[in-house]
Amino acid sequence: MLPDVPAFDFSFCFMFINWAQREITLKIVYYGPGLSGKTTNLRYIHNNLNPSLRGDLITLNTKEDRTLFFDFLQLELGQILGKKPRFNLYTVPGQVYYSQSRKIILSGVDGIVFVVDSQIERLEDNLDTLLDLEQNLITMGRTLKNFPFVIQFNKWDLPNTANIDALQHKLNFYQAPHFKSVATEGIGVLETLKAIINQVVIHIQQKV
Amino acid sequence: MNLGHGGNNGQSIVLSGEMYKAISEILSDLASKTRARAIIFSDMNGHPITQRGTSADINISNMSALAAGGFAATTEIAKLIGEKKQFKFIFHEGEKNNVYLSNVGDNFLLIIIFDSQTALGMIRIYTKRAINALTELIANVTDTEQKITQFVDVDFNKYLSEELDKAFKF
């Protein structure tokens, strides 16, 4: 007989638990400016994951192959201590124009990966998008300061990347875990995913 | 937990075994009356909760994620034109199949996929009844705190990390 768990209020998290099926579903959103590599992260995860553990990669793109609404990938791990964890990974459209869509996708988020385009000339775009993210979180009654959050400094293979200290100083004002990455080659992608999942689970444990 | 609030308010949803059973029964009843291809009960964030129907070839996770995204976008359209609430239902008409979407309270979504030969009126009548039953069921949830440590304890994190490593080394 399964334990009956009628309800549980959990003010900082949105996770969904189906006690009858012993499933926990968590939502992770990849946020960042346009062309920073959010979809590339998901594509790499999709291509390198055991096919029996993942669903299709759903992409809602414009004709120019830019994200129009979101990408979606479900990652379903095997049983862990009798429970089935599921992670729903989403990206947001990075272009400034789609601000309303980003708000919709953030709804119900459990953890955020901020994908930075590390090139010097994109510094302001990164900052604008980070502020847009924080603003959206504030309207949802939360802040990056105490939310599961990881920063990924992407495109680290390019010659014109900014200095890591400068990037950290300018963007990582809450000292979130951070990773250098080359998403096209998968460098740093799995580390980032593991770090955000870890943050989300720790966050849940701390709030109990 | 207050299930009557909107999805943006920050509460998690924990579904009890009893509640899951009751929801499944309502869905079974709706499935037998409408003979729909598939009926999915999902939360507003696109996490499928349970499903019924005669077709096993529909990817429920993808369907829920896309339907919830579409529903959320359409709700914003309702706001833009001055509607106070979301649209009562959304109907997609295809050549062979139709999709009917409706919210259940503020936190849940009912997705019905049915043959285009099936009368929409019948779907609407039975769905409305099911939604009323589901809404009543959800409203009767009492606020009870329950420790979640049984679900996500310290060991869970360790094993999760190992499972993730395995998932990428196939």
Side-chain angles (χ1 to χ4, degrees), chain B residues 40-44 46-50 64 68 107-111:
Chain B
I40 307 166
F41 185 68
S42 117
D43 77 358
M44 274 298 175
H47 304 145
I49 295 166
T50 182
S64 300
N107 285 319
F108 299 96
L109 194 58
L110 195 60
I111 306 159

Side-chain angles (χ1 to χ4, degrees), chain B residues 10-47:
Chain B
Q11 71 273 35
S12 64
I13 297 168
V14 180
L15 199 71
S16 70
E18 197 180 80
M19 180 71 83
Y20 179 79
K21 206 175 145 214
I23 291 169
S24 300
E25 278 169 13
I26 295 171
L27 258 58
S28 293
D29 185 50
L30 182 61
S32 70
K33 284 187 174 124
T34 58
R35 306 194 64 75
R37 276 191 70 198
I39 298 173
I40 307 166
F41 185 68
S42 117
D43 77 358
M44 274 298 175
N45 296 321
H47 304 145

